[in-house]
Amino acid sequence: MIDVLVVDDDFRVAEINARYVAKVPGFRVAARAHNAAQALATVERGGVDLVLLDHYLPDRTGLELVHRMRQQGHGTDVIMITAAGDVTTVQQAMRLGALHYLVKPFTFNALRGRLDSYAALRRTVERVGGGGVTGQEQVDRIFGALRTAPAPSVPGLPSGHTEPTSDLICGVLHGAEQPLSAHEVASRTGLSRSTAQRYLRHLEQAGRLRLSLRYGDTGRPEHRYAWVAP
């Protein structure tokens, strides 16, 4: 098993990412951390093979954390998972040795593709024999193991809908302890309320969400949505 440390300052996002990891065969969540200090302490204790790392942390950036890890001699592998999509941050991540860089919001298939390629890399290195690389063919095999295939698209999405947004909403509802309104979903995802309503309506019609009504003082029912386990 590959032990993974999930690092994100948002507790809900960390939980969603951890659930994604747990769904990929061969991977398990060793720990969660919500700031750089917690993450570094976890790495120092050992038992972590891979860090899924957000860049925007409250005490220091993810890249500053990677730099600190390398200074202390920790060679733990890192995959960046962050909303930071600027070229400078991506380049810095590459120079510090991040193996992959996944921009939020992303789908489960996108994350699984990165994890699968990481597992393939570990298997390839083991087959080559660690320091026993003998030629260009073996080197190419190691570097080629990190390539990922495009994530398959989800069929049936209406025009104007995208898979990452749909997956983001599903992830929020999957991690919610109770049904959520469109306003609450919009607040947790950063989407507009109208966009959230469009996706919620489609997902409910597709059978992925359950709709319930809650009546307030005004007499107008509030639509609330809950995740339906497949």
Side-chain angles (χ1 to χ4, degrees), residues 125-126 128-134 142:
V125 171
E126 289 174 1
V128 169
V133 175
T134 59
I142 291 172

Side-chain angles (χ1 to χ4, degrees), residues 76-90:
T76 310
D77 294 321
V78 174
I79 294 177
M80 298 296 297
I81 298 183
T82 176
D86 60 283
V87 175
T88 299
T89 303
V90 174

